[in-house]
Amino acid sequence: MMPIEAILIEELNKGSIEAFDELFRRYAPRLHAFGLKYLKSNTDAEELVQDVFLKIWKNKNKLDKTQNFKSYLFTIAFNQIKDYFTHKLLYLETINDTLLPPDLSPLESISYQSILDNISVLIERLPSRKKQIFKLSRFEGKSSAEIAALLKITPKTVDNQISEVIHLLKSKINPSDLLTILFFYLFVN
């Protein structure tokens, strides 16, 4: 008699949504807990589960019922987490390389880096949609109209979201520092 997991994978190979749903029901909570342990964010862990199962669905015809599905699933999740941290590191390096003014003293560089780190943390804590809008605007240079078209929302919604993020950043960063003023002038406004 074939194990239930092998039967589900065989059915998934044929495109069975029911088999997919059952595998999701069985493994999503464990995968979420695994992602939460590393990503430290419920939203990011939920996105991880969605991404992993999207890959499972896209590759449903290639799944082998004789292989350990759980190992395969967690290998995909582990690779997704690695990619997440690689992209985050590249993102932070890009911010540092692009925004760090050239002629700062060591103390000013440390202060500026601290401001960038604080800003990055605040941005990463934003709700995913607001974070996406802000990054598209400030890091990718897209206009409100472009973002609105991309996300299927109104340009006014985009402007409101960006305004809320700027207000939040200004309220959380010490405005008495000259570098903070420079940062907001170059980056946020």
Side-chain angles (χ1 to χ4, degrees), residues 5-6 9 62-72:
E5 189 175 276
I9 291 170
K62 299 175 188 171
L63 295 176
D64 183 353
K65 67 182 178 185
T66 62
Q67 287 184 327
N68 185 330
F69 182 74
K70 180 180 173 185
S71 294
Y72 179 66

Side-chain angles (χ1 to χ4, degrees), residues 91 95-96 98-101 104 111-123 134 138-139 165-166 169-170 173-175 177-189:
Y91 159 74
I95 287 176
N96 292 344
T98 327
L99 298 177
L100 191 60
L104 296 179
S111 177
Y112 193 81
Q113 185 60 48
S114 174
I115 294 167
L116 289 178
D117 291 344
N118 287 340
I119 296 287
S120 293
V121 167
L122 290 170
I123 291 171
F134 189 76
R138 294 308 193 253
F139 299 139
V165 173
I166 291 170
L169 294 177
K170 284 182 177 179
I173 303 296
N174 181 4
D177 188 356
L178 179 61
L179 287 173
T180 304
I181 295 167
L182 173 65
F183 176 81
F184 276 102
Y185 177 75
L186 292 174
F187 176 68
V188 177
N189 291 320

Side-chain angles (χ1 to χ4, degrees), residues 42-60:
N42 193 48
T43 303
D44 290 339
E46 287 172 1
E47 287 178 21
L48 172 72
V49 172
Q50 290 174 2
D51 290 346
V52 169
F53 275 96
L54 180 62
K55 284 189 179 204
I56 294 296
W57 181 255
K58 285 182 178 178
N59 295 309
K60 65 185 177 289

Side-chain angles (χ1 to χ4, degrees), residues 127-161:
S128 61
R129 184 65 143 200
K130 195 172 281 195
K131 177 173 41 174
Q132 180 183 24
I133 290 169
F134 189 76
K135 285 181 176 181
L136 286 169
S137 171
R138 294 308 193 253
F139 299 139
E140 295 182 27
K142 295 197 182 299
S143 70
S144 294
E146 290 172 319
I147 297 168
L150 182 69
L151 301 179
K152 296 180 177 51
I153 56 178
T154 67
K156 183 69 175 161
T157 300
V158 171
D159 292 339
N160 288 341
Q161 295 288 306

Side-chain angles (χ1 to χ4, degrees), residues 17-33:
I17 292 173
E18 291 81 14
F20 178 82
D21 287 343
E22 180 60 25
L23 288 167
F24 184 87
R25 189 190 62 72
R26 287 173 178 249
Y27 289 103
R30 287 187 255 175
L31 202 54
H32 183 272

